[in-house]
Amino acid sequence: MIIDSTRPLTDIILPLTQALPAKSTVNVKLTGNFNVSTPVDNPGAVPPIVGQAQTTVSIHDSFGSVHNMTMTFTKTANNIWAAAATPSATDQTVTGITVTPTVINFNNVGAPTVPTIAMTVTYNNGLLPQTINVSIADIAQVAAASEVNMSREDGYAAGSLLSFDIMEDGRVRGIFSNGIAQTLGQIALARFPNSVGLIRAGANNFALGENSGLPAIGRPDTGGRGKPAGSVLELSNVNLADQFTNMILAQRGFQANSRVITTSDEMLQDLIAIKR
């Protein structure tokens, strides 16, 4: 959520029944390595030569359903790998997957010459074809074991609001049941030219006074404004450590003074006894 600071101030309402709609996957990121020493794939050789690397990619459709598919990268020549994808055998809703471009070239330092390939998924449950950008910029081709993994995808299932927290910049962040954290609003703070001129309204509230000046309202931690502390319950406006230290010093002083008074009282009693 983008915070529009030009709009009028309103209350931030956080109903715990608030729903977050599902989001279909648009971007997937792959990381890993293709072993430069992998032989060119030749299934017709005796014995067959397998020059492939595989990984499982999980995506969300617009309903929030998860689809697992296998991406296979086959070495067809030196520094050239062919990309293909197939749906899970148990997935009955995916009818086809096409990958473009199907050929990935690597340069002489082991980096792909294209950073992204497109994967288009078609369904038979009424969903429109879904095109996904698959980033391969972080896949290398060096002399190490072949290993490819999906590190990120930006789709998610539907969820409901479970809790929230408040950031130091005033953003109110909602935590949803699907694991997504999303900004729901931002707290605005006011700075007064003369804060001493504010009128106490009780319950730790203050009201605008004749001598306070007009408030300068804006984002926290800007323009001389402070910043909120999330997950902190206000107990006092003093430093508890300093107050405890002062209390201990006062207690020690009181004990010392009481001993002086006690000693003086005993001396006076002895003098009175001697006189008698």
Side-chain angles (χ1 to χ4, degrees), residues 26-114:
V26 176
N27 299 290
V28 167
K29 183 177 182 180
L30 300 182
T31 60
N33 177 66
F34 295 155
N35 192 342
V36 69
S37 301
T38 298
V40 175
D41 188 73
N42 186 0
V46 181
I49 299 175
V50 179
Q52 294 181 339
Q54 290 184 332
T55 188
T56 299
V57 174
S58 299
I59 65 168
H60 289 81
D61 61 26
S62 58
F63 291 151
S65 300
V66 178
H67 301 276
N68 296 317
M69 52 198 64
T70 301
M71 289 201 72
T72 303
F73 300 91
T74 303
K75 187 172 183 179
T76 58
N78 289 334
N79 302 326
I80 299 177
W81 295 72
T86 55
S88 169
T90 58
D91 193 336
Q92 303 299 315
T93 59
V94 176
T95 58
I97 306 173
T98 58
V99 177
T100 54
T102 57
V103 176
I104 303 173
N105 293 282
F106 286 84
N107 59 25
N108 55 4
V109 294
T113 57
V114 293

Side-chain angles (χ1 to χ4, degrees), residues 36 111 164 183 257:
V36 69
F164 68 92
T183 299
N257 290 334

Side-chain angles (χ1 to χ4, degrees), residues 190-254:
R191 179 177 58 83
F192 291 85
N194 179 26
S195 59
V196 180
L198 293 171
I199 301 173
R200 292 183 179 273
N204 207 25
N205 295 318
F206 294 84
L208 188 68
E210 293 182 0
N211 300 322
S212 64
L214 296 177
I217 301 175
R219 298 176 185 270
D221 205 21
T222 62
R225 286 173 285 269
K227 54 186 178 181
S231 303
V232 175
L233 179 63
E234 183 180 4
L235 297 176
S236 174
N237 58 359
V238 298
N239 188 313
L240 291 180
D242 290 343
Q243 296 304 314
F244 273 118
T245 301
N246 293 335
M247 184 182 69
I248 292 172
L249 292 175
Q251 183 183 22
R252 293 288 184 260
F254 177 80

Side-chain angles (χ1 to χ4, degrees), residues 147-222:
E147 182 180 5
V148 184
N149 299 291
M150 185 184 77
S151 64
R152 181 179 63 85
E153 67 105 352
D154 58 1
Y156 47 79
S160 57
L161 184 63
L162 295 179
S163 63
F164 68 92
D165 54 17
I166 299 176
M167 316 299 288
E168 285 192 348
D169 60 359
R171 287 183 297 115
V172 181
R173 187 179 63 171
I175 311 299
F176 291 84
S177 58
N178 55 7
I180 300 299
Q182 190 176 81
T183 299
L184 304 177
Q186 187 173 34
I187 296 173
L189 296 183
R191 179 177 58 83
F192 291 85
N194 179 26
S195 59
V196 180
L198 293 171
I199 301 173
R200 292 183 179 273
N204 207 25
N205 295 318
F206 294 84
L208 188 68
E210 293 182 0
N211 300 322
S212 64
L214 296 177
I217 301 175
R219 298 176 185 270
D221 205 21
T222 62

